Amino acid sequence: MSTSAEPTTAPAADEPPVVTFRDLGLGEPVLKALSDVGYETPSAIQAATIPTLLGGRDVVGLAQTGTGKTAAFALPILDRLDLTQKTPQALVLAPTRELALQVCEAFEKYAARTKGVHVLPVYGGQGYGVQLSALRRGVHVIVGTPGRIMDHLDKGTLDLSELKYLVLDEADEMLKMGFAEDVETILADTPDTKQVALFSATMPAAIRRMSKQYLNDPEEITVASKTTTSSTITQRYLIVSYQQKIDALTRILEVENFEAMIVFARTKSATEEVAEKLRARGYSAAAINGDVAQIQRERTVNQLKSGKLDILVATDVAARGLDVERISHVVNFDISTDTESYVHRIGRTGRAGRTGDAISFVTPRERGLVNAIERATRQPLTQMQLPSVDEVNVTRLSRFDDGITAALGETERIDRFRDIVAHYVRHHDVPEVDVAAALAVVAQGETPLLLEPDPEPRARAPREDRFDRGDRDRGDRGDRGFDRGDRPDRRPRNPNMTTYRIAVGKRHRVEPRQIVGALANEGGLSRGDFGAIQIRPDFSLVELPNDLPQSTLDRLSDTRISGKAIEIRVDTGGPSRRPREGGNDRFDRDDRPPRKPRHRDGA
Ligand code: AMP
């Protein structure tokens, strides 16, 4: 393989050699599944963690969502499962039902080529029946929230006596949600011989202590980062949901003054899909990835160099070493899983002394990666907003003008048309400007010149009126946050929500996250089901969907927070009708239902 024949893959001097999943020691079925899902190379956390776990050592990994940590622990587990063992071999603890389900899906995806692997999600809110019958049939991997796993252990319905692998995913989140005790009990009550992998985005003292006490000489893995971004590259990021990415990219293509662009996607299939969608929208775009034959890749890169092609959609591997001066912009359609790959990617622009632009799409859950990149590159990333319809239209109009100006410069061709147009004007008695407009219609075809205005945005609370739940909670579902408790009244803003009252408040030292944790896990609610939460001195108000089934309410009524039964009921706005424990009447009197919105601190 000569270097000259491989212009797109030959690593530049500043790039390390490519490590493959095969190099990490994974077996065939898992490798096949990875090839099916289109991962080309391991992310940094995967490259560091997988061999260690395969070698049998415990791991403490400092990694957040978006780094590929799920595969980092799931792949070595799947690789070593004994499919003849009936009792559970691997247990993954996750802070929320949402994450537990995601991890389950990931396991299933990676196990697609391993026949007969059974993975079971176990979380509060789901009926015990389903879980019990699955457990009886035999499962290999359990992914669950600590509360429900503890319930099964207490009931004797879960046998962890032969557990081989235990993973604590998002350990810091689990502690924040009040699961420390449950997690420690599970750690202590499972075989000493098990291998433990603990992943956490931060390393507070409690986690350090836990890992010292329960892990056996763990290898600490923090992905080292390279710090050589060029200051001639302007770095921006856009918070965007997965579904909005293509629209966001097309708007950026409209308003950015780019010459040539590389768009990075995580998987081979994503490169094809994005390139296809861009072509459908009239851009000259092509995909390169590990599956594209070398000769075709070279042809594509040459087209980019010569200006026949403007947009290349690539995976990391396919774009290694790419050196094309025309590349003015790099767009991370999927943000890099680690800072090192980020640095390599954006180094594809700003070549040969030019300036460059890098724009990264970041989903709300991946927000933490921006800080990691800033820390590693020691350069700030500026948050940008999605270009508005007005901005797009202004650019379209100025391009339209530029088109006319450029055509007027082609004097010979203009001369030939001038007589034809003049003839039309004379014979049809139409003003010249109308004829020009008619010609524009012909030139424009069916596609409208200007974008329609965006629909009115949903009325929402101002940003600072909301309790910040952290990245994961904002989710891709829209930005629903929690009030800090300073709402003037108790009516939910959203007509689909009902305000419930629970009998724990400031006096019981509860915090919104505990309420969410408890209700989500016990009621089987997703975090997106929560509206505003107001914590009052003696009770709290929680907005939940109107249509909560009675069975959910029944389950919730048994829930305890900080040891106290929550006695959930629909809030009528009035003082508690139940006999209260002594001494707290004065708080409730203070909390009479408002006749009209009041502006006072709810506490
Ligand atoms: P996680 O940090 O585990 O939540 O993973 C973040 C995203 O990266 C998920 O969408 C994974 O499917 C994807 N991903 C994980 N590992 C790789 C890889 N080696 N190559 C491409 N994508 C990956």
Side-chain angles (χ1 to χ4, degrees), residues 70-103:
T70 315
F73 62 76
L75 300 175
I77 290 178
L78 284 171
D79 204 64
R80 292 173 297 163
L81 285 179
D82 170 5
L83 295 178
T84 60
Q85 180 177 322
K86 277 278 191 186
T87 55
Q89 288 167 64
L91 171 65
V92 180
L93 293 178
T96 61
R97 149 198 164 122
E98 210 175 25
L99 182 65
L101 286 170
Q102 266 174 35
V103 171

Side-chain angles (χ1 to χ4, degrees), residues 236-239 252 255 382-388 391:
R236 287 172 287 170
Y237 70 98
L238 177 71
I239 302 284
I252 283 170
V255 301
T382 317
Q383 182 168 4
M384 66 183 283
Q385 300 302 322
L386 185 68
S388 66
E391 282 171 86

Side-chain angles (χ1 to χ4, degrees), residues 1-35:
M1 207 160 57
S2 85
T3 315
S4 60
E6 284 240 292
T8 58
T9 52
D14 60 337
E15 296 182 19
V18 182
V19 177
T20 65
F21 280 108
R22 190 177 292 280
D23 296 337
L24 303 181
L26 292 165
E28 268 333 305
V30 170
L31 291 175
K32 281 201 190 112
L34 289 172
S35 155

Side-chain angles (χ1 to χ4, degrees), residues 112-139:
R113 297 291 198 114
T114 318
K115 285 268 162 340
V117 176
H118 295 293
V119 185
L120 178 70
V122 170
Y123 49 81
Q126 193 191 33
Y128 279 93
V130 190
Q131 298 174 358
L132 289 176
S133 52
L135 286 170
R136 247 177 262 125
R137 278 196 305 275
V139 292

Side-chain angles (χ1 to χ4, degrees), residues 21 34 37-46 63-73 75 99 102 106 109-110 169-170 265-268 316 335 337 365-366 369:
F21 280 108
L34 289 172
V37 294
Y39 296 176
E40 286 195 318
T41 48
S43 71
I45 188 83
Q46 291 161 1
Q64 41 205 334
T65 296
T67 53
K69 68 180 162 60
T70 315
F73 62 76
L75 300 175
L99 182 65
Q102 266 174 35
K109 199 162 65 173
Y110 306 139
D169 195 8
E170 304 202 353
R266 257 180 209 150
T267 61
K268 297 174 201 173
D316 286 279
I335 185 122
T337 47
R365 293 194 64 215
E366 292 167 340
L369 284 177

Side-chain angles (χ1 to χ4, degrees), residues 441-456:
V441 168
V442 174
Q444 184 69 24
E446 289 302 311
T447 328
L449 175 65
L450 299 179
L451 282 182
E452 292 292 321
D454 275 334
E456 285 288 304

